[in-house]
Amino acid sequence: MELFERNACDLSEMIKNKEISSAELTKSVFDRIKAVEGKVDAYLTLDEENAMKKATEIDEKLAKGEELSPLAGIPVGIKDNISTKGLRTTCASKMLGNYVPPFNATVMNKLDDIVVTGKLNMDEFAMGSSTENSHFKPTKNPFDTERIPGGSSGGSAAAVAAREAIVTLGSDTGGSIRQPASYCGVVGLKPTYGSVSRYGLVAFASSLDQIGPLGKCVKDVAMVQSAIVGHDKYDATSSYREYPDFAADLKADVKGLRIGIPKEYFGEGIDPFVKQSVMNAVKELEKQGAIVKEISLPSTDYALSSYYIISSAEASSNLARFDGVRYGFRAEEYDGLVDMYERTRSEGFGDEVKRRIMLGTFVLSSGFYDAYYKKAKLVQKRIMQEFASQFADVDVIATPTVPSTAFKIGENTDDPLKMYANDVCTVTVNIAGLPAISIPCAYDDKGLPVGMQLIGGKFTEQRLLNTAYAYEQLVGGFKMPEL
């Protein structure tokens, strides 16, 4: 087995025991990138020179006996909306095509002894479900390069599946870690809102955004999650609390675990094979001692509409800062200040971003605020209450991650509503601020992965990871694509 194919948890031990060096591992990953990146297009910016330099520094520190984190020397890819000091951060937009941040996101400071391979492709400003909305290029699904990898963290999921990074960071506003994890057959965790600092994450919808990890196995994701959680004085929404060592506390035991099956997530619009695959996976957990019961989350039908109203409203406010004055793109020709604003934003933003800014501005405008935004916030409160009520009776809720397997590139680009429907199983989690994980549970007749989503109550990541780990041990790990 090549080094780039191994899991982070194994590589961490190998580096610690000096069986391999970080420099050897990093070279292996970059050799892999050179071999397959032309087929996958996961990266927007590669940083091989600095990565090799950092790997050498880590090796020197280890040789001196310095105490480093478990992820020290591990090559990690970073979604391109997370600020990386001195490394271009574009949000896959023309608007930030030349932006080099002068500071690190808090998660990058927490991961200060990883090796950053580069910045990963995404839907522009994290708005999309397929990574086709990137200004620069679409990313391809490593299981079938004619198909989408999901979005908006499509580059993050594709890089893990193609073994172009050992683990990656993504962000999740309405499913943007879990949905591409499902399409690309990897593990993706959306943490509880407030558990991971958002400082340095370029804002899309501030009340919904959350940074999280993607990896080839559950333990890798648990390792990264342990490293990035914690209160941050720079993020007023981050929670004051103690967190466990998620990787060290992993247990493959589901005896007595109560799993809820919400009927609304298995109805119309869900592919029959996806539905059956998730139910088969739940039955496997039931055989191991889990208790399964049907539940109801009746407001789910209104979640998608509410999500797009709330997220677009926040986006219209957050993206007002991109005006051509302080940083980023500025139109070359304009007549006065107002014309400069208009031309800069018209030329700098892509169609999907403009669509959401217009929708958000509309729902916040006088005369429509009560009819749309206020009602969406009431639905949000109802969804939170319904989840809280169900978590009094169940420990984990199991659903499909997405309604189908990955569709072909270009298939849905002319139908925004069909594209939005890909998020129907994931948006409720962000609306309620809950944690959720997607793990592969089957492969269809074309070899495309199907994801199962496990949802927990607030700050129950350990339980979710344990449940996912138990299933992973049952099936003997997850399949990676041939490229």
Side-chain angles (χ1 to χ4, degrees):
M1 184 184 280
E2 298 282 352
L3 291 179
F4 66 77
E5 295 177 286
R6 292 183 177 273
N7 296 335
C9 49
D10 298 332
L11 291 165
S12 174
E13 286 299 311
M14 293 170 80
I15 290 172
K16 184 179 169 184
N17 297 331
K18 299 185 175 62
E19 295 169 43
I20 61 166
S21 68
S22 175
E24 287 175 297
L25 172 57
T26 303
K27 184 180 183 304
S28 174
V29 169
F30 274 98
D31 286 346
R32 175 65 173 177
I33 291 169
K34 287 165 190 170
V36 302
E37 174 61 10
K39 299 177 189 175
V40 179
D41 285 325
Y43 283 91
L44 290 177
T45 304
L46 284 164
D47 196 24
E48 183 174 6
E49 185 181 337
N50 285 321
M52 291 305 300
K53 187 178 172 186
K54 183 65 180 279
T56 304
E57 286 174 10
I58 295 295
D59 291 333
E60 288 170 356
K61 287 179 180 179
L62 287 167
K64 291 175 188 172
E66 290 187 30
E67 193 72 30
L68 299 176
S69 80
L71 287 167
I74 301 293
V76 181
I78 309 297
K79 187 175 179 180
D80 206 27
N81 61 347
I82 297 171
S83 288
T84 44
K85 186 176 180 179
L87 185 60
R88 191 175 73 130
T89 301
T90 70
C91 289
S93 177
K94 183 178 179 180
M95 186 64 83
L96 288 175
N98 62 358
Y99 175 62
V100 178
F103 71 102
N104 265 334
T106 295
V107 290
M108 297 310 300
N109 289 331
K110 283 176 172 283
L111 297 169
D112 65 340
D113 50 12
I114 62 165
V115 173
V116 175
T117 51
K119 304 304 290 289
L120 294 157
N121 199 15
M122 55 183 282
D123 285 293
E124 184 181 7
F125 284 103
M127 298 181 194
S129 306
S130 65
T131 316
E132 292 171 289
N133 291 334
S134 169
H135 169 69
F136 301 101
K137 58 185 178 182
T139 295
K140 288 93 175 178
N141 190 319
F143 277 90
D144 180 349
T145 53
E146 291 185 359
R147 294 177 185 270
I148 57 102
S152 63
S153 307
S156 300
V160 172
R163 283 86 83 207
E164 293 187 78
I166 305 302
V167 289
T168 61
L169 287 184
S171 68
D172 193 311
T173 307
S176 290
I177 288 173
R178 293 158 287 150
Q179 188 246 38
S182 176
Y183 283 151
C184 291
V186 300
V187 181
L189 174 68
K190 182 265 169 196
T192 303
Y193 184 80
S195 61
V196 178
S197 172
R198 290 182 298 107
Y199 179 73
L201 174 68
V202 179
F204 162 15
S206 304
S207 73
L208 307 171
D209 297 340
Q210 193 62 80
I211 295 170
L214 297 97
K216 295 192 283 285
C217 68
V218 175
K219 193 167 185 179
D220 285 5
V221 164
M223 279 177 70
V224 181
Q225 179 66 4
S226 295
I228 63 176
V229 291
H231 178 258
D232 177 22
K233 66 181 181 180
Y234 296 114
D235 177 4
T237 63
S238 72
S239 180
Y240 284 95
R241 64 187 298 120
E242 292 295 317
Y243 295 91
D245 183 332
F246 297 109
D249 294 350
L250 271 183
K251 294 181 183 70
D253 181 13
V254 292
K255 194 170 184 182
L257 183 82
R258 300 168 299 169
I259 301 176
I261 306 295
K263 60 184 181 182
E264 291 83 3
Y265 288 73
F266 291 84
E268 191 180 343
I270 308 296
D271 182 279
F273 180 78
V274 170
K275 206 183 299 186
Q276 192 57 51
S277 298
V278 173
M279 289 309 301
N280 290 344
V282 171
K283 282 173 189 168
E284 289 300 316
L285 292 170
E286 191 174 21
K287 287 177 190 173
Q288 301 302 308
I291 301 157
V292 179
K293 62 181 286 189
E294 186 177 278
I295 62 171
S296 179
L297 296 163
S299 296
T300 300
D301 290 345
Y302 308 105
L304 202 61
S305 302
S306 300
Y307 166 77
Y308 277 100
I309 289 169
I310 293 166
S311 64
S312 297
E314 293 187 22
S316 74
S317 175
N318 278 326
L319 270 63
R321 71 192 69 176
F322 302 109
D323 54 13
V325 175
R326 287 157 289 190
Y327 50 82
F329 172 76
R330 179 186 291 181
E332 290 184 8
E333 295 181 11
Y334 50 86
D335 182 17
L337 183 63
V338 173
D339 190 48
M340 188 272 285
Y341 287 154
E342 290 177 359
R343 288 176 182 267
T344 294
R345 290 168 68 80
S346 296
E347 295 172 27
F349 289 136
D351 289 345
E352 182 60 31
V353 175
K354 290 177 194 170
R355 185 180 292 120
R356 299 203 198 190
I357 289 172
M358 287 190 288
L359 173 60
T361 305
F362 174 76
V363 300
L364 290 175
S365 60
S366 177
F368 297 102
Y369 179 92
D370 287 353
Y372 293 99
Y373 185 74
K374 191 175 179 181
K375 282 184 181 174
K377 293 298 285 184
L378 290 171
V379 170
Q380 179 180 32
K381 190 173 182 182
R382 176 70 63 86
I383 288 169
M384 293 171 82
Q385 290 168 343
E386 287 175 6
F387 271 114
S389 171
Q390 292 301 336
F391 281 125
D393 297 321
V394 300
D395 302 310
V396 170
I397 293 171
T399 76
T401 308
V402 280
S404 66
T405 51
F407 51 87
K408 291 202 169 181
I409 293 170
E411 191 176 318
N412 293 335
T413 46
D414 295 330
D415 191 346
L417 293 181
K418 195 171 181 183
M419 196 75 89
Y420 294 168
N422 288 308
D423 300 332
V424 68
C425 298
T426 54
V427 294
T428 50
V429 170
N430 300 78
I431 286 172
L434 302 173
I437 191 169
S438 177
I439 56 171
C441 68
Y443 302 86
D444 72 5
D445 56 1
K446 300 183 188 73
L448 300 172
V450 173
M452 172 171 67
Q453 176 177 231
L454 300 171
I455 306 168
K458 289 184 179 181
F459 302 105
T460 61
E461 279 87 342
Q462 188 70 64
R463 183 183 292 152
L464 287 182
L465 289 161
N466 287 350
T467 309
Y469 185 60
Y471 181 75
E472 182 184 44
Q473 297 304 300
L474 277 175
V475 299
F478 305 128
K479 185 173 83 175
M480 290 292 116
E482 297 295 329
L483 268 170

